[in-house]
Amino acid sequence: MTNDLNLRRARGNDDGEGSLQTRANTLVKAADHGTPLELNNITIRYGGGKGGADAVSVVEGFDLTLHAGEMHCVAGRSGSGKTSILTVGAGLTLPTSGRVLWEGESLESMGDDEIADRRRALIGYVDQGGALIDGMSALENVLLPAVPDGEVDQRRDMAKDLLDLVGLGRRMRHRPAQLSGGERQRVAIARALILGTRVLVVDEPTASLDRASANRIISILKDTTSDGIAVLVASHDHELVRLSDTLTELI
């Protein structure tokens, strides 16, 4: 259930005009739309169907307009629907009803292949824990999204720059087992940015981290917004909630 408190605290210039280039040389494309992600009247239910059990409503009538260069936090207790909202916004699952718009275009008008292609170009998703491939170095993990397009060599310098940006330039050859939880989370964020992401979607990025590591992650997320990237994050971390530009609380 949602308590729709889409609280607007601060917003910079969101006209989306001009060419953007991040400090990490991620070459963020000039935004085609000032609101790269919109969720209109989203309802998410699970269960029901042939078994006769009633469907369980997790989210009802959720609305969100996410502007370029803005961080929005979806806060609430465990089980309140935070992750469900993130996966719907990222196009990984479909809502029971309502509309998801990427740069003004509804996913309803797209087939599965087009959704997948648009997601790769638009959205970087970091799940809770930021899962990495154990047998690969930090650099190789960051480069994984470039493999399907055959762009590993072209994006190698970019991946190194991103690891520098998240403070792991000296540890790019380390494997996940050699990194702390906070370092693994930073690698996952760098990986999500490698394709020139316009929307970074991050699920509970500080949940299992100590305060110092959590603050480092929050600082990185805020820095990405200064590069014109929109950030949608689910968290109950009070510091992350405080520093977000806008907030929705779920009950």
Side-chain angles (χ1 to χ4, degrees):
M1 303 290 288
T2 62
N3 177 20
D4 194 9
L5 297 178
N6 194 7
L7 303 178
R8 193 155 305 280
R9 295 177 180 154
R11 197 172 95 204
N13 180 5
D14 56 37
D15 60 11
E17 295 179 357
S19 179
L20 296 173
Q21 182 171 342
T22 70
R23 290 154 297 145
N25 192 31
T26 55
L27 296 176
V28 177
K29 303 161 190 170
D32 294 332
H33 203 282
T35 52
L37 175 62
E38 298 174 74
L39 304 178
N40 293 341
N41 199 28
I42 296 295
T43 292
I44 303 170
R45 298 190 183 103
Y46 297 113
K50 295 180 180 179
D54 292 335
V56 176
S57 182
V58 178
V59 174
E60 291 277 357
F62 182 85
D63 293 300
L64 170 66
T65 299
L66 185 63
H67 298 270
E70 176 181 82
M71 182 160 75
H72 183 93
C73 181
V74 180
R77 57 176 174 77
S78 297
S80 61
K82 300 190 301 295
T83 296
S84 296
I85 289 170
L86 264 59
T87 57
V88 163
L92 298 171
T93 58
L94 296 176
T96 306
S97 63
R99 292 203 309 162
V100 180
L101 294 95
W102 289 346
E103 297 190 322
E105 294 188 37
S106 174
L107 269 60
E108 292 176 320
S109 65
M110 304 179 195
D112 292 344
D113 289 344
E114 185 178 358
I115 289 174
D117 289 343
R118 290 288 299 273
R119 183 192 304 118
R120 281 177 54 78
L122 179 73
I123 292 174
Y125 185 81
V126 182
D127 61 11
Q128 190 168 350
L132 303 179
I133 305 298
D134 288 337
M136 293 184 169
S137 68
L139 179 62
E140 290 168 335
N141 268 280
V142 172
L143 284 166
L144 267 178
V147 172
D149 296 331
E151 294 185 353
V152 171
D153 289 339
Q154 296 93 315
R155 294 189 180 265
R156 190 173 301 276
D157 287 343
M158 189 184 299
K160 292 177 181 178
D161 287 344
L162 279 165
L163 285 169
D164 281 336
L165 180 65
V166 299
L168 294 174
R170 295 177 179 271
R171 298 177 71 77
M172 67 178 65
R173 304 297 177 190
H174 287 63
R175 298 191 177 190
Q178 300 170 298
L179 302 173
S180 69
E183 288 171 336
R184 289 194 295 272
Q185 194 74 5
R186 284 186 265 158
V187 172
I189 291 171
R191 180 180 61 193
L193 295 171
I194 189 65
L195 296 183
T197 297
R198 291 173 182 163
V199 182
L200 181 61
V201 180
V202 192
D203 191 9
E204 295 281 8
T206 65
S208 59
L209 304 182
D210 61 76
R211 189 68 261 163
S213 296
N215 287 344
R216 182 69 180 267
I217 295 295
I218 295 169
S219 177
I220 290 168
L221 294 178
K222 286 295 290 182
D223 283 348
T224 62
T225 64
S226 67
D227 293 324
I229 297 169
V231 176
L232 176 61
V233 58
S235 181
H236 55 265
D237 185 311
H238 295 299
E239 186 66 9
L240 203 159
V241 168
R242 183 181 71 83
L243 290 174
S244 293
D245 300 302
T246 58
L247 168 69
T248 300
E249 291 187 319
L250 306 179
I251 57 172

